[in-house]
Amino acid sequence: MWPNISAAPFLLTGFPGLEAVHIWISIPFFAIYISVIVGNGTLLYLIKDDHSLHEPMYYFLAMLAGTDLTVTLTTMPTVMAVLWVNHREIRHGSCFLQAYIIHSLSIVESGVLLAMSYDRFVAICTPLHYNSILTNSRVVKIGLGVVLRGFLSLVPPILPLFWFPYCRSHVLSHAFCLHQDVMKLACADITFNRVYPVVLVALTFFLDALIIVFSYVLILKTVMGIASGEERAKALNTCVSHISCVLVFYITVIGLTFIHRFGKHAPHVVHIIMSYVYFLFPPFMNPIIYSIKTKQIQRSILRLLTV
């Protein structure tokens, strides 16, 4: 029987070997966190305030911004506490809750990107039925389904963490809690916790990506059938922002997966940096992409600045 010393808190880790310069590392991190909060917060405000943005496409964008904002606010306190004052201790309950929110929101983000591709598919392939298909009530149902899928699917692997005994090292490898980090510290049979996430990733991230690709194949087929070159360009231009966000999200997912699977001999700091890229790069880039590529958002920003 393994001894149970679960009462001891977990210890978060910043950048091993670079503790002396944590305060300097915190400067770009804090700047990025503030940029993410301001960028996504502004998007949410604009979509709420500007009646011309009260359309399904922008409701889904608001969900994306809300997801990015929440995951940022979930990781920011522990990351900045480690970098600023070397506060590494985190209680088990707080750690498991943080891991639950982080992983759930990753699946929610994938689901929102899928919903946005459906919006573009309906808008381009069946434009005359767009308003009758994507009604406000249907958008709410899709949004609710995406959120429930994310948060309910993470309950099975997170709940066992509360009952596992932790008698090995209590040191985690990041400045925030991740399921795969915590489960490795458990002195128990973690077979289910190893297998379930693999199946979950296949049924969410991988399946979502396949459906998004398939939807764009159909969109491209429809666009190529449009006689006017100007109309073709206009139709494709409405998809550019979404495609950019999809690429940013899935390229970071693939990069992180490759590092974890095949980068066992890579320096540990590379793994840590890739994790931060995964959690910070999409929330940082999404508002920028939509601000640059979407004329309605640009007009709303100008209106806000000239008030």
Side-chain angles (χ1 to χ4, degrees):
M1 185 77 178
W2 290 99
N4 187 348
I5 55 167
S6 296
F10 292 121
L11 294 175
L12 301 167
T13 302
F15 291 85
L18 298 173
E19 288 83 2
V21 291
H22 268 182
I23 195 68
W24 295 107
I25 295 172
S26 73
I27 295 171
F29 269 86
F30 186 66
I32 292 169
Y33 272 124
I34 294 300
S35 299
V36 169
I37 292 167
V38 170
N40 288 286
T42 302
L43 272 183
L44 286 171
Y45 175 77
L46 291 175
I47 293 166
K48 175 183 175 293
D49 190 61
D50 191 337
H51 289 284
S52 69
L53 300 179
H54 289 182
E55 297 175 11
M57 174 183 170
Y58 299 107
Y59 293 148
F60 290 131
L61 177 58
M63 280 192 65
L64 187 69
T67 303
D68 287 339
L69 193 58
T70 308
V71 77
T72 299
L73 293 173
T74 302
T75 61
M76 184 181 178
T78 54
V79 171
M80 297 316 299
V82 169
L83 294 178
W84 275 342
V85 294
N86 198 36
H87 181 75
R88 297 179 60 195
E89 289 190 0
I90 184 168
R91 294 178 181 276
H92 287 203
S94 301
C95 184
F96 303 152
L97 180 62
Q98 187 183 46
Y100 174 65
I101 294 171
I102 287 171
H103 292 297
S104 296
L105 289 175
S106 291
I107 293 175
V108 169
E109 179 136 358
S110 180
V112 172
L113 290 171
L114 175 60
M116 292 171 87
S117 75
Y118 175 65
D119 169 79
R120 292 299 82 208
F121 168 77
V122 175
I124 292 170
C125 297
T126 57
L128 297 177
H129 301 288
Y130 181 76
N131 290 326
S132 61
I133 293 173
L134 281 171
T135 59
N136 285 347
S137 63
R138 190 159 289 166
V139 169
V140 169
K141 287 174 185 175
I142 291 170
L144 191 61
V146 165
V147 171
L148 286 176
R149 182 186 75 155
F151 281 89
L152 291 179
S153 63
L154 258 296
V155 171
I158 295 294
L159 269 185
L161 298 180
F162 285 90
W163 286 283
F164 285 157
Y166 299 95
C167 54
R168 298 192 177 98
S169 166
H170 279 55
V171 179
L172 299 168
S173 60
H174 297 85
F176 45 82
C177 294
L178 297 174
H179 168 262
Q180 61 266 32
D181 250 8
V182 175
M183 74 172 186
K184 290 175 185 175
L185 304 181
C187 304
D189 182 4
I190 58 169
T191 304
F192 173 78
N193 285 65
R194 284 186 184 278
V195 174
Y196 183 89
V198 175
V199 176
L200 185 61
V201 165
L203 293 176
T204 53
F205 292 107
F206 184 67
L207 191 58
D208 289 354
L210 280 179
I211 297 171
I212 289 170
V213 169
F214 181 65
S215 71
Y216 271 104
V217 168
L218 296 178
I219 287 170
L220 200 59
K221 186 180 175 184
T222 301
V223 169
M224 289 300 107
I226 298 173
S228 166
E230 188 180 336
E231 288 298 315
R232 279 203 299 268
K234 187 179 176 183
L236 284 175
N237 196 48
T238 64
C239 301
V240 171
S241 299
H242 177 251
I243 292 170
S244 301
C245 290
V246 168
L247 289 174
V248 165
F249 180 73
Y250 283 104
I251 285 171
T252 54
V253 169
I254 292 165
L256 187 64
T257 303
F258 265 80
I259 284 290
H260 278 303
R261 295 291 175 191
F262 307 111
K264 291 176 182 176
H265 300 296
H268 183 56
V269 71
V270 174
H271 290 255
I272 293 172
I273 290 170
M274 271 308 300
S275 294
Y276 285 118
V277 168
Y278 171 70
F279 287 111
L280 288 175
F281 191 59
F284 177 75
M285 287 303 298
N286 290 342
I288 295 173
I289 290 167
Y290 271 91
S291 299
I292 292 171
K293 293 291 184 182
T294 311
K295 287 181 180 178
Q296 292 94 322
I297 298 288
Q298 289 174 0
R299 282 199 289 267
S300 293
I301 292 171
L302 286 173
R303 250 197 308 272
L304 182 66
L305 294 175
T306 53
V307 169

